[in-house]
Amino acid sequence: MAKVKPLPEAAAASSPSASPSQQGEQKPAVYTVWMKSLVFNGNGCTVYGADGCVAYRVDNYSCRGGREVFFMDRAGNNLIRIQRKSFCMFRRWEACRCFDDGEETRPWFRVHRTWKNGAAVAMHGSGRRRAYRIDGCSRKSDYKISGADGAIVAAIARKQTASGVVLGEDVLTLTVGPEADHLLVLGLVVVFGLINRCL
């Protein structure tokens, strides 16, 4: 299984030797998102935790921007099913939460692209009310996810090494706020990648 060496500060944050006061503090979680699949000639992305091990993955065996993809844990269990819905020139992406290894699903959220190089997110059952928004240019790797109140819950940017070297456009750092639903944020990152045909 592939492994990415974590940066020193990420490793220190996840170290069990941290003091009880430090462990009690809620800190943002940091993931490395590699916009490549671990499957040869496949499309998708791989998410690494602070320990450098694979945490989640998307393996898309069809063309980029496929109509249906599954977001999985490291063991290959389906966590989110994402489907593209089309109506003439209008497109949206609908996500369902998977249970019992994908045998049972529950509608979770839907995403549609906005005219300002971003996307609007509505949770299932909330009607047309926007719950989150994604702000960022489709041609750049940097963007932010904000709640309905405008507070930033997650941000993604090109990864930098400890020495300040900026890695390629397909290697990203995702920072998730302590109060945010990590699985939801990761699902939104995947959807935005599908919108921009990055996976």
Side-chain angles (χ1 to χ4, degrees):
M1 186 65 75
K3 187 169 184 177
V4 173
K5 185 176 181 181
L7 297 179
E9 58 269 23
S14 61
S15 173
S17 62
S19 67
S21 60
Q22 289 175 327
Q23 290 180 352
E25 296 176 0
Q26 287 188 323
K27 296 182 178 180
V30 180
Y31 298 93
T32 297
V33 182
W34 185 36
M35 303 300 287
K36 297 286 185 181
S37 171
L38 294 178
V39 177
F40 182 69
N41 281 339
N43 299 303
C45 68
T46 309
V47 181
Y48 298 87
D51 59 358
C53 295
V54 173
Y56 306 98
R57 59 193 174 95
V58 173
D59 296 323
N60 179 12
Y61 300 100
S62 61
C63 61
R64 287 180 181 269
R67 287 185 171 274
E68 181 178 66
V69 299
F70 287 89
F71 184 78
M72 300 172 284
D73 62 16
R74 73 178 72 191
N77 298 311
N78 295 329
L79 301 176
I80 309 173
R81 183 184 72 191
I82 300 170
Q83 294 177 304
R84 187 184 75 208
K85 305 288 186 178
S86 299
F87 178 71
C88 297
M89 62 179 296
F90 302 100
R91 287 184 177 181
R92 71 180 187 277
W93 285 257
E94 295 186 356
C96 292
R97 183 74 168 87
C98 298
F99 301 93
D100 299 326
D101 195 21
E103 294 298 324
E104 179 184 351
T105 61
R106 183 179 65 200
W108 196 9
F109 63 85
R110 61 185 181 276
V111 181
H112 71 270
R113 192 166 195 165
T114 63
W115 294 107
K116 297 181 179 180
N117 290 323
V121 183
M123 306 305 294
H124 177 71
S126 64
R128 299 178 62 87
R129 184 167 58 87
R130 185 179 66 187
Y132 297 91
R133 73 171 188 267
I134 305 174
D135 298 312
C137 179
S138 61
R139 296 185 180 275
K140 294 184 178 181
S141 303
D142 298 10
Y143 57 90
K144 296 178 176 61
I145 300 174
S146 304
D149 59 355
I152 296 174
V153 298
I156 196 162
R158 289 176 62 179
K159 188 176 182 69
Q160 294 188 24
T161 66
S163 59
V165 177
V166 180
L167 302 183
E169 293 184 356
D170 59 349
V171 184
L172 311 172
T173 294
L174 170 64
T175 305
V176 184
E179 302 297 330
D181 183 332
H182 291 205
L183 190 59
L184 172 62
V185 169
L186 288 162
L188 295 178
V189 169
V190 172
V191 171
F192 204 55
L194 290 168
I195 290 175
N196 296 322
R197 301 188 66 82
C198 296
L199 53 87

